[in-house]
Amino acid sequence: MATTFPSIAPTRRSFVAPTWPTKTQASQSGVITRRLWGSRPSQAKLSLTFGNINDTNTAAILSAYNSAKGSVDSLTLPAQLFAGADAALQSWLNASATGAGLLWSFSEGTSPQVESVAPGRSNVTVELTAELRMS
């Protein structure tokens, strides 16, 4: 069951498009052969920074991480995470909406990072990965 990520607008968003599963082999003569090992790309990355948010929103992000058991469960991402991007870019950012079968989750081995900036205020950085998963 998917965990809903809180509806908080990020102050910074960085996206790396999904990659195609390929393998490159170089022969002794220097000839390069590339092999495609799948019919769809995966492993998109989305880095979100929430600057100067209150403790309630910080706790909501940490709660979503805990509910999703880190990278185990997929996430339902609210439209607010993609605010400011036009429809064409949003279809890339929200990989689960493209019909590509990609599901967002917290990146494996990377928990949310919290930096206190003032009493009751924090900067939070979250790393997400979109993967092809079995339903």
Side-chain angles (χ1 to χ4, degrees):
M1 176 172 230
T3 299
T4 302
F5 195 89
S7 292
I8 307 166
T11 53
R12 184 175 172 277
R13 180 178 53 228
S14 175
F15 175 71
V16 177
T19 57
W20 288 89
T22 59
K23 177 71 175 172
T24 301
Q25 184 69 38
S27 70
Q28 289 180 338
S29 67
V31 174
I32 300 290
T33 303
R34 288 195 175 87
R35 172 101 187 228
L36 180 63
W37 291 99
S39 60
R40 295 182 290 184
S42 68
Q43 300 298 316
K45 303 284 183 193
L46 183 61
S47 178
L48 302 169
T49 300
F50 303 91
N52 200 27
I53 61 173
N54 62 39
D55 284 349
T56 302
N57 285 339
T58 300
I61 292 170
L62 295 172
S63 179
Y65 177 77
N66 191 52
S67 294
K69 298 169 194 72
S71 63
V72 174
D73 290 338
S74 62
L75 296 170
T76 301
L77 301 183
Q80 195 166 7
L81 291 182
F82 311 114
D86 69 11
L89 180 56
Q90 282 190 31
S91 71
W92 275 98
L93 296 174
N94 192 2
S96 61
T98 64
L102 296 175
L103 296 176
W104 286 108
S105 64
F106 287 97
S107 294
E108 188 170 345
T110 306
S111 57
Q113 298 175 1
V114 179
E115 174 190 17
S116 295
V117 294
R121 310 297 290 184
S122 297
N123 293 334
V124 180
T125 303
V126 175
E127 303 291 332
L128 305 177
T129 303
E131 302 168 321
L132 290 169
R133 291 192 175 191
M134 302 296 290
S135 43

